[in-house]
Amino acid sequence: MEKKHSITHVILTGGVGSRLWPLSRKSQPKQYLDLFDGKSLFEMTVERNRNVADKIMVVGNIDNCHLSRKVMEKSNTPYVDIIESTPRNTAAAIAFAAFASDPDDILIVTPSDHIIDEMKNYDLAIQEAVDKASKGYIVTFGIVPTKPEIGYGYIERKGDDVISFREKPNQVTAKDFIAKGNFLWNSGMFCFKAGVFLEELKSFKPEVYEKSKIAWANNTNGNLDLELSLEIPSISIDYAVMERSKKIKVVPSTFIWSDLGSFESVYDYLISTGHPIDKNGNMVIGTNNYTAFVGLKNTIFVYTDTANLILHKDSSQDVKNIYNELERENPDLLN
């Protein structure tokens, strides 16, 4: 009888959600906002794989680990806490989780700030990914697209083989991808054996592997040393492994998915949950104060105690420009 692999859900919590400013701040990134029926995206992520995984690892940073801890303690969920002293991107973050695991452990790696629905389809995709991972493949989840989206990267595939990974396209290229029919949205979710990932990382990015290994070997209760961490090259798992390895498979997935990476995607999600809009598609987020829109369509008004944002839904990707400007001129408004 085949040995059952231990499955670990690795939750990455490092993002700051710059495109969702002023809702998302450095002190309260978007994954911890209780915007979703009184729950946060992080809390929903923990619940999602509870029945699949034997254990949970949370890879966070020194600035937000207390927010993760609060949620985990509230739900009385045991977990392994890995705390980065400085962000070194996803290749290192995932390497720490892999070093903390047995080589044959299967890791399901997910961000903590995505919305996922249609759980029956999600569970089927997870089962297929675990099956492929148990055979030594590195699996990525590709979402069957519902529209030509310019805010996501894409995966070109033939069956479950990956032909190429593509950066976020412009509108013309996105329409071309959809027309071709063999492109999927890149979800940023992965599944593999810990040992297989580390072998590939060592092969393609030996410096990331070695420096991460040293940093992990010198951790104190999951806390990583700052000086050792700063020596690790900052690179994503996509560039380090996914675009180079010959062991990649994709699971085409039909569950409802959004990375909620812009106010447009938040707008679409909130509408699906019954959040009110006026007859011209205008929406208010963050206050119950009476707010009127005159001569405006598809406009979002975002209220917080210290800053407000007014934007057209179609300009959601440009919010990052405001964030970058504030970083230079008024960084206190980002905290």
Side-chain angles (χ1 to χ4, degrees):
M1 186 174 159
E2 191 181 345
K3 173 181 170 285
K4 181 182 179 294
H5 296 283
S6 176
I7 298 174
T8 301
H9 181 197
V10 178
I11 305 174
L12 306 178
T13 71
V16 295
S18 55
R19 287 185 181 87
L20 292 189
W21 180 89
L23 279 184
S24 184
R25 308 287 183 107
K26 288 181 178 177
S27 60
Q28 190 81 0
K30 67 172 180 174
Q31 58 266 35
Y32 301 107
L33 299 170
D34 292 336
L35 279 177
F36 309 95
D37 297 328
K39 288 183 179 175
S40 68
L41 293 169
F42 177 81
E43 197 172 348
M44 291 158 72
T45 304
V46 172
E47 290 176 359
R48 192 174 300 132
N49 286 333
R50 197 187 290 274
N51 296 332
V52 182
D54 302 297
K55 60 183 171 185
I56 295 174
M57 285 184 187
V58 176
V59 186
N61 59 51
I62 199 76
D63 296 324
N64 71 13
C65 61
H66 64 287
L67 298 170
S68 303
R69 192 175 302 123
K70 192 172 164 188
V71 174
M72 301 304 278
E73 287 174 353
K74 174 182 153 192
S75 62
N76 200 23
T77 304
Y79 72 110
V80 176
D81 202 7
I82 298 174
I83 302 167
E84 295 183 289
S85 52
T86 183
R88 301 321 284 159
N89 217 314
T90 50
I94 295 167
F96 298 139
F99 283 125
S101 307
D102 290 333
D104 274 344
D105 287 354
I106 290 176
L107 309 184
I108 299 169
V109 181
T110 74
S112 58
D113 55 1
H114 291 184
I115 276 284
I116 287 174
D117 215 335
E118 292 198 359
M119 292 308 297
K120 185 180 176 188
N121 292 349
Y122 176 79
D123 291 341
L124 287 171
I126 290 288
Q127 286 169 22
E128 185 180 342
V130 168
D131 182 54
K132 290 182 190 302
S134 68
K135 294 170 181 165
Y137 291 110
I138 291 178
V139 183
T140 184
F141 294 80
I143 311 298
V144 176
T146 56
K147 61 178 180 177
E149 171 63 59
I150 63 170
Y152 300 148
Y154 283 74
I155 298 168
E156 184 183 8
R157 55 106 179 197
K158 184 175 182 181
D160 66 353
D161 290 324
V162 173
I163 298 170
S164 67
F165 289 90
R166 303 293 186 92
E167 298 291 336
K168 295 174 182 176
N170 60 30
Q171 196 66 43
V172 174
T173 307
K175 285 179 178 174
D176 184 49
F177 287 170
I178 301 301
K180 284 181 175 168
N182 66 325
F183 282 81
L184 305 167
W185 289 337
N186 188 350
S187 71
M189 294 166 49
F190 311 99
C191 184
F192 40 70
K193 285 185 185 177
V196 172
F197 171 76
L198 290 174
E199 283 167 16
E200 296 296 270
L201 182 64
K202 186 177 184 180
S203 173
F204 297 115
K205 285 291 174 184
E207 191 181 3
V208 177
Y209 173 89
E210 295 296 346
K211 301 288 188 184
S212 299
K213 187 176 183 181
I214 292 166
W216 180 250
N218 289 277
N219 83 84
T220 306
N221 298 322
N223 288 268
L224 292 148
D225 178 78
L226 178 58
E227 283 185 31
L228 293 175
S229 296
L230 285 168
E231 292 184 16
I232 304 168
S234 179
I235 184 170
S236 72
I237 180 179
D238 290 335
Y239 290 133
V241 174
M242 304 305 292
E243 295 181 4
R244 299 162 181 261
S245 174
K246 298 288 186 282
K247 296 182 177 180
I248 308 298
K249 293 287 185 184
V250 64
V251 172
S253 308
T254 55
F255 53 84
I256 292 171
W257 171 88
S258 170
D259 72 350
L260 292 187
S262 69
F263 275 111
E264 182 177 15
S265 54
V266 171
Y267 176 99
D268 291 342
Y269 175 74
L270 289 176
I271 283 180
S272 76
T273 65
H275 192 93
I277 54 173
D278 71 10
K279 64 183 180 183
N280 291 314
N282 300 307
M283 176 182 284
V284 177
I285 300 174
T287 179
N288 292 320
N289 289 349
Y290 175 75
T291 306
F293 297 83
V294 179
L296 298 171
K297 290 185 176 181
N298 299 326
T299 299
I300 307 170
F301 173 66
V302 184
Y303 172 88
T304 73
D305 289 341
T306 56
N308 299 328
L309 176 70
I310 301 162
L311 71 152
H312 192 275
K313 178 167 71 80
D314 294 346
S315 299
S316 293
Q317 295 293 337
D318 296 335
V319 174
K320 191 166 188 179
N321 298 337
I322 304 289
Y323 189 95
N324 293 340
E325 198 175 298
L326 288 171
E327 207 151 32
R328 293 189 300 271
E329 297 175 10
N330 197 349
D332 285 351
L333 279 176
L334 303 181
N335 293 326

